Amino acid sequence: MYLGRVVGTVVSTSKNEALIGMKFLIVERLDEHLQREGTSEVAVDSVGAGTGEIVIVCKGSSARYVFGGNAPLDTSIVGIVDTVEVG
C-alpha cells in the first residue's frame, strides 16, 4: 500500500463488464511528507474519493479483493486520509 493524491479522473465508455459502474481516478504516489514521488497511475475508487484528496492505495490481488476478486484490476483506493504524522 502507499499514500497518493487524486489528480484526475478517467472516463471509459467501453470496458470489461466486471468494471461497469466503477469510478476510475488518476493517483500520484506520495512520500511520507506528502510530496510527489514517482509516477501516476489509474486506480479504481472504493471509498468515494475526489480530486485533491490524499488516499490509501492498495495494489495486486489485495486490490482485486476489495471488489470481490472478480474484476480485472491491479490498483484500488481503499481509504481517504485525514492526517499523517511522521515521528
Side-chain angles (χ1 to χ4, degrees):
M1 290 200 292
Y2 67 87
L3 293 176
R5 177 180 289 115
V6 178
V7 295
T9 60
V10 174
V11 177
S12 174
T13 55
S14 178
K15 57 190 161 208
N16 182 282
E17 285 185 16
L19 298 173
I20 293 173
M22 293 184 182
K23 183 168 116 180
F24 298 97
L25 298 175
I26 302 170
V27 179
E28 64 181 11
R29 186 181 291 258
L30 302 176
D31 66 15
E32 69 274 12
H33 301 289
L34 303 182
Q35 300 300 308
R36 181 181 168 89
E37 173 183 83
T39 61
S40 300
E41 63 184 323
V42 176
V44 179
D45 181 31
S46 72
V47 294
T51 302
E53 291 190 293
I54 307 299
V55 294
I56 301 169
V57 180
C58 188
K59 303 271 300 169
S61 61
S62 297
R64 285 186 291 282
Y65 179 75
V66 173
F67 296 97
N70 299 322
L73 57 93
D74 184 54
T75 309
S76 297
I77 296 171
V78 296
I80 299 173
V81 174
D82 295 319
T83 62
V84 174
E85 295 182 32
V86 179

